Amino acid sequence: MRPQDDVYREGAGAHLGDRAPEQSSFLLAVLASFAVAIAPLLLSFGFFVATRTFPSLVPALLVVGFFTVVAVVGGSSLWERHRPASIFSFGDLMLWNWARRHRAEKRLVRNTQLLGFDRSGAYRGDPVADDEDRLELLAEIADALDAKTAYTVNHTDRVEKLSRDLGEVLGLPEAELDKLSTAAFLHDVGNIRIPEHILRKPGQLDEEDRKTVESHALLGAMMAYEVVSRDVADGILHHHERWDGGGYPNGKTGESIPFFARVISVAETYDALTSTRAHRHSLSPRSALAVLRAGAGSQFDPRVVEALVLTLPRPWAVFDRVPVLAASRPRLREWKLIFQRVGKVAISSAITTGTIALILGNAGRAS
C-alpha cells in the first residue's frame, strides 16, 4: 500500500461504520477478560498457597504483576497472529471495551433516528430533535464513533484541540476559533455510512469502496448544515480536498479550499499518523511531521503544515540527542499503548491479589 493510500484510509475511515461480527461475541470478550483480569489473580493466589508463603503487599504485587504482564503480552501476541481480518486490538476484546462499544452502538442508533437518519446514514425524514438539540446530538454521534474501538478513542477530541491550536498560531480571532473547533469536532460524523468491512479490507480500496468512503464528507455536511454556519459546514464538507486538486468531493485547489477544511486536514492526518492502527504502529511526531512536510504543496496547505511545528510539544527532545534512547522510543510507545488498553486491569488485579495475600499473611502469622 502506498503511503498516500494509508493516509487516505485513516483520515477518511478512522471510525467504525456498521456493527462488526466480532463485537457481538460476548463469550470471546468474557474469555479474554478472564485471561487478563482473573487468571493472573488465581495463578498468584495458587502460587502463594502452594509455596505456603504469606508475602507482604509489595512482594505480592510483584508476583501478580509478573503473571499479569505474561497474560497481557502473551494474549496480545496470540491475538495479533491469529485474529481475523478486523480492526479490533487485543485491548478491544476486553469485556469493558465490549460494553463500551455496545453502548456506543446504541447511542448511534438512537441519535441518528432523532436526527431523521437511519444507522446507515440514509435520511428518513421526520426528525424528532429540534434545532437546539441537533448540535448536541451530532456531537454525541462523533463521540460514539470514536468509542467504537480503542484505536480511535478520543480521536475527535485530539483533532479538535490540534485544529484550535493551529488556528491560534495562524491568528484566528476567538469567534473563528470556536467555529473551527465545531467543524473539527464534527468533521467525521458522516462516517456512520462507512461499513466496517471496508475498513477491514487489506490493501488498496477498489473504486466502489472509495466512493463509499468519500460519501462521508457530504453526509456529514448535510447532517450539520441546518444548525451550523456556512463556513463550519464547508469545513466538514471539504476536509478531504487536496491542495493540488486531487481530493474530494469537488476537487478544489489551493486557497479555494475553505480555510477550516485545510486546517482540519492537517490536524486529522497528523493524529491518524501518530495513532496506532490495525495495520501499523504509530509514527513518532517527528516522522509524522516529515510525512506532512513531504505533502505540503501537494496534499496540504504549506502554511498550515509549518504552523503545526509551533503547536507540537517536545517531551522527547532529550531522546533525539542520544542514539540509544532514540532507538528505544518505538518500544516505549508500544508499552504505553499496551498500558492504556489493559493497564487498569493489571493495577486492579495486582492490588486485589496483594490485598488478599496480605490478609492471609496476617492471619497465618496470627495463628
Side-chain angles (χ1 to χ4, degrees), residues 280-359:
R280 63 145 184 85
H281 290 296
S282 62
L283 298 182
S284 67
R286 171 179 287 184
S287 298
L289 184 58
V291 172
L292 286 161
R293 278 178 160 164
S298 57
Q299 184 173 355
F300 308 109
D301 181 342
R303 188 165 66 102
V304 179
V305 172
E306 290 309 308
L308 179 65
V309 179
L310 302 177
T311 69
L312 300 180
R314 294 189 49 87
W316 301 94
V318 65
F319 280 64
D320 297 331
R321 304 189 189 100
V322 183
V324 175
L325 295 179
S328 69
R329 287 173 61 178
R331 181 62 58 185
L332 289 174
R333 287 199 303 273
E334 292 179 16
W335 279 100
K336 177 183 177 182
L337 185 63
I338 290 175
F339 178 80
Q340 288 174 338
R341 291 175 180 167
V342 294
K344 294 179 180 178
V345 181
I347 294 174
S348 176
S349 298
I351 291 176
T352 301
T353 304
T355 302
I356 293 174
L358 186 61
I359 293 173

Side-chain angles (χ1 to χ4, degrees), residues 61-359:
L61 290 176
L62 291 175
V63 171
V64 75
F66 169 77
F67 283 120
T68 301
V69 169
V70 170
V72 170
V73 174
S76 180
S77 299
L78 185 66
W79 176 249
E80 290 299 321
R81 284 198 297 267
H82 300 290
R83 69 178 178 174
S86 77
I87 70 170
F88 289 123
S89 67
F90 181 68
D92 273 319
L93 291 179
M94 300 298 106
L95 186 60
W96 47 94
N97 286 333
W98 180 91
R100 183 199 67 216
R101 295 195 305 272
H102 183 69
R103 290 194 302 270
E105 181 62 32
K106 292 178 65 175
R107 289 166 60 196
L108 288 173
V109 172
R110 180 184 69 250
N111 292 337
T112 51
Q113 289 178 346
L114 290 174
L115 292 172
F117 294 83
D118 65 17
R119 178 60 181 84
S120 66
Y123 186 67
R124 300 304 184 189
D126 300 324
V128 177
D130 56 30
D131 288 347
E132 293 183 359
D133 295 330
R134 286 173 66 93
L135 189 59
E136 182 177 349
L137 290 173
L138 287 169
E140 288 188 14
I141 289 173
D143 185 64
L145 285 167
D146 274 355
K148 292 297 292 296
T149 171
Y151 290 127
T152 57
V153 169
N154 297 324
H155 165 76
T156 297
D157 289 325
R158 293 192 300 269
V159 172
E160 179 193 17
K161 181 182 184 304
L162 183 53
S163 295
R164 190 179 186 94
D165 290 344
L166 287 168
E168 290 179 350
V169 171
L170 293 167
L172 290 185
E174 190 66 26
E176 293 298 297
L177 288 174
D178 290 341
K179 291 195 291 185
L180 174 59
S181 294
T182 299
F185 196 84
L186 301 180
H187 73 280
D188 268 347
V189 292
N191 276 349
I192 60 172
R193 175 168 288 175
I194 303 176
E196 187 189 336
H197 74 269
I198 293 179
L199 303 181
R200 294 183 299 168
K201 181 182 292 187
Q204 299 183 33
L205 300 175
D206 59 33
E207 186 63 25
E208 182 177 354
D209 290 342
R210 289 180 74 89
K211 288 180 180 179
T212 301
V213 169
E214 291 177 3
S215 70
H216 85 282
L218 178 58
L219 174 60
M222 288 175 57
M223 294 175 70
Y225 85 98
E226 288 187 351
V227 293
V228 298
S229 61
R230 175 65 182 272
D231 45 357
V232 171
D234 283 345
I236 298 171
L237 177 62
H238 296 292
H239 71 278
H240 281 292
E241 303 283 6
R242 290 174 55 102
W243 188 259
D244 60 9
Y248 63 86
N250 298 130
K252 288 180 174 291
T253 61
E255 294 191 359
S256 67
I257 302 171
F259 181 73
F260 287 175
R262 285 180 267 153
V263 173
I264 295 170
S265 175
V266 170
E268 181 181 43
T269 303
Y270 177 82
D271 185 73
L273 291 173
T274 54
S275 302
T276 295
R277 292 290 185 258
H279 51 281
R280 63 145 184 85
H281 290 296
S282 62
L283 298 182
S284 67
R286 171 179 287 184
S287 298
L289 184 58
V291 172
L292 286 161
R293 278 178 160 164
S298 57
Q299 184 173 355
F300 308 109
D301 181 342
R303 188 165 66 102
V304 179
V305 172
E306 290 309 308
L308 179 65
V309 179
L310 302 177
T311 69
L312 300 180
R314 294 189 49 87
W316 301 94
V318 65
F319 280 64
D320 297 331
R321 304 189 189 100
V322 183
V324 175
L325 295 179
S328 69
R329 287 173 61 178
R331 181 62 58 185
L332 289 174
R333 287 199 303 273
E334 292 179 16
W335 279 100
K336 177 183 177 182
L337 185 63
I338 290 175
F339 178 80
Q340 288 174 338
R341 291 175 180 167
V342 294
K344 294 179 180 178
V345 181
I347 294 174
S348 176
S349 298
I351 291 176
T352 301
T353 304
T355 302
I356 293 174
L358 186 61
I359 293 173

